[in-house]
Each structure stands twice: as structure tokens, then as C-alpha cells.
Amino acid sequence: MMSSEYAIEVDNLKIQYRCLNKVSIRKSLFQLKKSKVEIFEAVKGISFKVKKGQILGIVGKNGSGKSTLLRALAGIFSPDEGTIDIHDHTISLLSIGVGFQKKLTGRENIYLSGLLLGFSEEFINSKMAEIIKFSELGDFIDRPVRTYSSGMYSKLSFSITAILETDIMLIDEVLSVGDAKFKKKSYKKMKQLIQKDDRTVIIVSHSSETLKSLCDSILWLHDGKIKMQGSVEEVLPAYEKFME
């Protein structure tokens, strides 16, 4: 098989966090060299491939490395070992708490997000009204993002990703945030977005219903390693039984 069949290729990916033990500031100034640095390995040498147009769900208990993996795929975290190849595709991460400058307004954050995704100012301008309308934020679009509730934050985040469409979409549990009306609207929009044959999507979710209705395969992460990978019908029941 030629690698061009794939949108994402991950090979022997390892990601570590360095955790400094808690010490007082006074102590740390004098004993920094002596202070122990603990290494926590969040992702432990995993390899997998995602074909173009595939919708992959990722499951695993909290702390299994799911969000770390998505951030690495999005280019936010650098691998300590191994490689990630997205074959020059544009990629966006839809995740609460990632990517906004709190001091900037919603409108300014739309520009910033669009430019970081590689879109031109002209293109972002052409999509601005549509993003603002979809977000339902009204006058809040010109207020600093730090004044937003978590629901408003998620509305803006979703709207940017939904309207500024990229080749690869990474979705981190964001469909479960927001009021019921917006949740329904965003779910409908998400289904519409991912039904495009050439769009590759990775969804991290705890909702079996979401995964069953949207995904065509599942990757199960456990303690930073791949425990199982395959069809939804095969992996989800095994995961659910394990979690019981």
C-alpha cells in the first residue's frame, strides 16, 4: 500500500511529561539542581495509521493518553520519540481550553485561529459573518474571551472549526458541551462535515452513542498503549465490558 492512502501515520510515538516535585520557592532557588524530576510517560511507543476519509474514535479511561495524543497530532506537543506524518494536510483541533488568547476578543480569536490553521486573512474575512452567526454569541463576539462561560467558549471553538474546514479534524469530547439546542445543532453540523469522503476525523469521546453513530473504527488506549484497534462492533463492547 502506498503511504498516500493515509492521512495520518504515527510510528513508535512516545510523549513524556517532566514533573518537578513540590518544593518551596525559597528551597527551590537553592536546591534546584538537587530537586528530583519525575518523568511520566503519557504515550508509550504507539503506532497506527488513519486512511484518508476514515472516522476514527479513540476510547480509554481518564489518564490513558487520549488528549495528549490529539495535541501531538495537532502539533501542540512534540514527540520525545517517534514520528507523526500528516502528509501536508491542514489539521484542526476542537478542544475546550485549547487555542484561545483570553485577553483578545472572540472576533480577534477567530482571526488568530484562522491564521494558525494556515488560512489567508481574505478567506477568514469571507467566513467571519458565518462563524459569528453560527456561534450565537451576538455582542459577546467583541468582548474578551476571558469573560465567556464554558458554554460560550465551546460555541466559538466549534464554530471556528466547523466553518473553517480543514482536511483533518481532531475532536476532543467537545460535542458534550453547551446548551441542548446548540448541542443538537453542532451534532447535526458535525455529521454533515464528516460525511465528506475526503475528510479524516479523529474523535475522542466517552459517549458510546456518539462513537457508534459517527465512527467506522475505534482505537482503545490504555495507560499510554494501544490495547485494541478495529471495527466499532468489535472494540466498543470489549471496552465497555472492561470498564464495568
Side-chain angles (χ1 to χ4, degrees):
M1 280 187 181
M2 289 171 66
S3 62
S4 60
E5 276 194 45
Y6 298 101
I8 302 168
E9 295 190 67
V10 175
D11 185 43
N12 193 34
L13 181 67
K14 292 182 184 178
I15 300 169
Q16 299 173 340
Y17 294 116
R18 285 153 186 80
C19 321
L20 267 174
N21 286 344
K22 283 184 184 173
V23 285
S24 71
I25 292 172
R26 188 192 169 108
K27 247 185 172 179
S28 66
L29 287 172
F30 295 104
Q31 298 182 349
L32 197 60
K33 286 180 184 173
K34 294 179 190 175
S35 60
K36 267 190 175 178
V37 178
E38 280 184 23
I39 302 292
F40 170 69
E41 199 167 23
V43 177
K44 303 173 181 175
I46 65 170
S47 300
F48 65 95
K49 295 177 182 182
V50 186
K51 283 187 174 181
K52 282 180 186 173
Q54 190 179 346
I55 302 161
L56 174 70
I58 298 183
V59 296
K61 64 182 178 67
N62 290 337
S64 59
K66 305 184 301 294
S67 293
T68 300
L69 173 59
L70 282 202
R71 282 161 171 73
L73 293 172
I76 296 167
F77 292 164
S78 296
D80 288 285
E81 278 184 47
T83 58
I84 296 168
D85 191 348
I86 62 165
H87 300 288
D88 295 322
H89 292 105
T90 54
I91 190 164
S92 59
L93 171 63
L94 188 51
S95 176
I96 298 308
V98 171
F100 287 155
Q101 295 294 320
K102 300 281 172 71
K103 290 178 183 177
L104 299 180
T105 66
R107 189 185 300 271
E108 289 166 336
N109 270 293
I110 293 172
Y111 273 114
L112 185 61
S113 299
L115 292 169
L116 288 171
L117 289 172
F119 295 109
S120 68
E121 200 173 331
E122 188 183 11
F123 180 78
I124 300 162
N125 276 328
S126 73
K127 296 286 186 180
M128 182 65 75
E130 195 181 347
I131 293 168
I132 294 169
K133 187 183 177 186
F134 194 94
S135 74
E136 303 173 356
L137 290 175
D139 293 341
F140 274 95
I141 202 68
D142 291 309
R143 294 183 192 175
V145 166
R146 61 179 159 75
T147 64
Y148 288 14
S149 66
S150 62
M152 291 162 74
Y153 202 99
S154 71
K155 283 180 174 184
L156 181 60
S157 183
F158 185 89
S159 302
I160 292 168
T161 306
I163 309 302
L164 299 178
E165 301 177 24
T166 52
D167 303 324
I168 301 170
M169 291 177 70
L170 310 173
I171 303 159
D172 193 358
E173 203 59 86
V174 82
L175 292 173
S176 61
V177 185
D179 55 76
K181 181 171 155 272
F182 190 82
K183 205 182 290 186
K184 197 174 176 183
K185 183 170 91 164
S186 60
Y187 187 80
K188 189 179 171 187
K189 180 72 175 174
M190 186 56 60
K191 282 196 94 163
Q192 182 190 324
L193 282 171
I194 68 178
Q195 276 164 356
K196 291 194 176 179
D197 292 341
D198 56 349
R199 176 160 294 119
T200 308
V201 183
I202 296 183
I203 301 173
V204 166
S205 180
H206 289 289
S207 164
S208 293
E209 290 311 306
T210 297
L211 296 167
K212 279 175 192 168
S213 65
L214 296 179
C215 301
D216 44 42
S217 66
I218 302 284
L219 185 141
W220 172 8
L221 277 184
H222 183 71
D223 292 339
K225 294 180 178 176
I226 295 174
K227 191 170 177 75
M228 195 174 177
Q229 185 177 8
S231 68
V232 178
E233 298 76 20
E234 186 188 4
V235 181
L236 262 188
Y239 170 67
E240 286 166 351
K241 191 177 179 187
F242 177 85
M243 288 303 284
E244 282 169 12

